Amino acid sequence: MQTNLAPEFKGTPQGTEAEAILRKCVHCGFCTATCPTYQLLGDELDGPRGRIYLMKQVLEGAPVTRKTQQHLDRCLTCRNCETTCPSGVQYGRLVDIGRGLVEARVERPRGERALRWLLKEGLTSPLFAPAMKLGQLARPLLPAALKAKVPARSGARAHRWPTRSHPRKVLLLLGCVQPAMLPNINSATARVLDAAGIQTLAADGAGCCGAIRTHLGDQAGGLADMRRNIDAWWPLVEGLTSEGKVEAIVSNASGCGVMVKDYGHALAGDPAYAQKAARVAALARDLSELLPDLVPRLQGRLRKRPAPRLAFHPPCTLQHGQQLRGGVETHLGALGFDVQLAADESHLCCGSAGTYSVLQPALATQLRDRKLGHLAPLGAQAIVSANIGCIQHLQTGTPTPVKHWIEALDEALDGALP
């Protein structure tokens, strides 16, 4: 795609990067066939190709309007279009740049500004955990729409962390909302790794991976989150503590994992953090990437009982963002689980997409129901996924239990180990 940048963008890091991405696009339109919002709305400007044209216009100096902002807002950033694109267009990076530029030029209505500020600051705040506890206490009295956003209180098992030490150690990104909303995901991860002879460590100073602020157009805030995490993790990366050196930085939320793997790129222009960020990104692993090592260590150690049928929803950040497909189903199958994908549209987004289900509830609900409709014929006893956002969002639309796949593995190990 031929592009003529406006003078204000020529020679800038963002302008140069965006121009290189735009020039890869050949207008083929294959991306529209796999774009969830285009399928729902049928509007060219609510598909990747149309949004690329909008961002091209912004970079070429055309007037930026509220309509431009709304079309970019409706993008899920699921990156399915990247998987489909034959030209390798890095649409996800382009839309982050485009959103940031539009955000600086178009003032939002007051209500939108307040909601987006609340999401950026509230979800990443230390006050989120006590607020969630209060919400759980008042959950029976909450209106249905709000009640759906507040999971029931977790039992004592959710806070049971293994105490054994092992020579092999990994660093776990706990996440910003996960410890308060669904703490069993982190503790189940630690218990399963402990059973395989791997110790799970966490850094107290770490917090949000940066995805929330970045995808809400606050790129400076997202970079600040990344720097804070790097500072918190670095002693464990370098082996400067009594706990020793970690072999990987593990994320059990695929949305966080795809962001941490991008740290090197995001901070490449920061001389104080570029090398550290590249090192952190190289160490980053999705939890599912550990399965080839875990399976032989756990085979024969699971409880002898019929395994429940599991329907697996692969998050977009796992299958498109990290390009990890088939690993969860294959390796859980090797451990005796019956794991099935939906026969139709397993590649499409469920509508969660970080804060999308809050900012675009109507579209998110349509996508959730469409996803659950395709999972229902599997007759599964539980739905499993790999990202807290997908898990919580899907659970609001079905009585079938929705959990992380590591929780299903942890349950099969419970009582089977000495």
Side-chain angles (χ1 to χ4, degrees):
M1 180 180 291
Q2 188 174 12
T3 307
N4 297 300
L5 294 184
E8 63 181 305
F9 300 120
K10 280 186 177 179
T12 67
Q14 284 192 327
T16 301
E17 182 179 6
E19 184 176 33
I21 296 170
L22 286 168
R23 288 183 179 276
K24 285 188 174 182
C25 180
V26 297
H27 323 268
C28 67
F30 289 165
C31 54
T32 59
T34 55
C35 175
T37 50
Y38 180 79
Q39 291 194 19
L40 291 181
L41 301 172
D43 186 333
E44 174 76 9
L45 296 178
D46 283 314
R49 183 170 60 179
R51 293 188 183 109
I52 286 173
Y53 275 112
L54 289 174
M55 289 183 280
K56 177 178 181 290
Q57 290 173 350
V58 171
L59 288 158
E60 291 181 335
V64 185
T65 67
R66 171 71 173 148
K67 185 178 179 183
T68 301
Q69 188 176 60
Q70 289 172 327
H71 286 301
L72 295 186
D73 284 350
R74 284 197 283 265
C75 173
L76 292 139
T77 324
C78 69
R79 296 172 64 176
N80 200 349
C81 53
E82 291 187 16
T83 298
T84 309
C85 180
S87 303
V89 174
Q90 294 175 295
Y91 173 85
R93 180 59 190 153
L94 181 64
V95 80
D96 279 343
I97 294 172
R99 281 172 169 160
L101 297 176
V102 172
E103 197 72 17
R105 289 161 175 77
V106 178
E107 185 174 6
R108 292 183 178 276
R110 184 177 300 172
E112 277 191 24
R113 294 202 307 270
L115 177 57
R116 293 168 80 88
W117 181 89
L118 184 62
L119 290 170
K120 283 194 302 179
E121 303 303 326
L123 295 178
T124 60
S125 169
L127 297 176
F128 179 78
M132 178 57 62
K133 286 182 180 178
L134 287 175
Q136 289 171 331
L137 288 171
R139 192 171 184 269
L141 306 176
L142 296 177
L146 187 55
K147 186 177 181 178
K149 300 294 183 184
V150 179
R153 295 177 69 183
S154 302
R157 178 174 171 76
H159 304 281
R160 199 179 80 204
W161 197 276
T163 57
R164 294 189 299 178
S165 178
H166 299 285
R168 295 184 63 187
K169 304 176 193 296
V170 298
L171 176 59
L172 180 65
L173 171 59
L174 299 179
C176 46
V177 301
Q178 190 162 283
M181 291 186 72
L182 298 174
N184 192 55
I185 296 175
N186 286 337
S187 57
T189 299
R191 290 190 294 266
V192 171
L193 293 179
D194 176 65
I198 302 171
Q199 185 179 355
T200 303
L201 303 176
D204 292 336
C208 178
C209 65
I212 289 177
R213 288 188 171 89
T214 298
H215 295 316
L216 286 172
D218 181 7
Q219 293 172 351
L223 292 174
D225 286 338
M226 297 176 200
R227 295 185 187 101
R228 182 209 55 233
N229 285 349
I230 291 170
D231 289 340
W233 294 336
W234 199 248
L236 287 166
V237 169
E238 287 289 280
L240 302 177
T241 72
S242 60
E243 293 169 309
K245 191 174 184 178
V246 296
E247 62 185 66
I249 299 172
V250 176
S251 176
N252 52 26
S254 57
C256 299
V258 73
M259 178 57 70
V260 177
K261 288 182 177 182
D262 195 49
Y263 276 19
H265 178 272
L267 290 165
D270 185 332
Y273 280 87
Q275 290 187 348
K276 289 183 177 180
R279 175 86 177 277
V280 163
L283 286 173
R285 299 286 184 275
D286 183 80
L287 181 59
S288 66
E289 293 181 270
L290 274 58
L291 276 170
D293 189 24
L294 298 181
V295 167
R297 295 169 178 269
L298 299 178
Q299 274 178 329
R301 305 182 71 185
L302 278 66
R303 280 186 291 173
K304 304 298 183 183
R305 66 174 187 180
R309 170 169 290 187
L310 304 176
F312 179 53
H313 162 59
C316 299
T317 43
L318 186 71
Q319 60 175 327
H320 304 307
Q322 299 188 60
Q323 296 287 305
L324 296 174
R325 302 184 189 89
V328 173
E329 310 95 288
T330 299
H331 293 106
L332 287 187
L335 289 170
F337 290 90
D338 179 8
V339 187
Q340 303 290 328
L341 288 175
D344 297 308
E345 297 188 353
S346 64
H347 61 292
L348 286 190
C349 184
C350 70
S352 171
T355 58
Y356 191 92
S357 62
V358 178
L359 296 170
Q360 304 285 342
L363 291 173
T365 299
Q366 289 182 66
L367 290 169
R368 180 201 68 187
D369 293 345
R370 182 168 175 157
K371 177 64 64 177
L372 289 170
H374 288 307
L375 291 170
L378 298 177
Q381 294 165 269
I383 298 169
V384 295
S385 191
N387 191 61
I388 182 175
C390 303
I391 292 166
Q392 179 62 18
H393 184 55
L394 290 172
Q395 190 66 85
T396 63
T398 178
T400 302
V402 187
K403 63 183 74 173
H404 197 290
W405 61 263
I406 196 69
E407 294 180 282
L409 181 51
D410 176 54
E411 289 165 9
L413 282 168
D414 184 37
L417 300 175

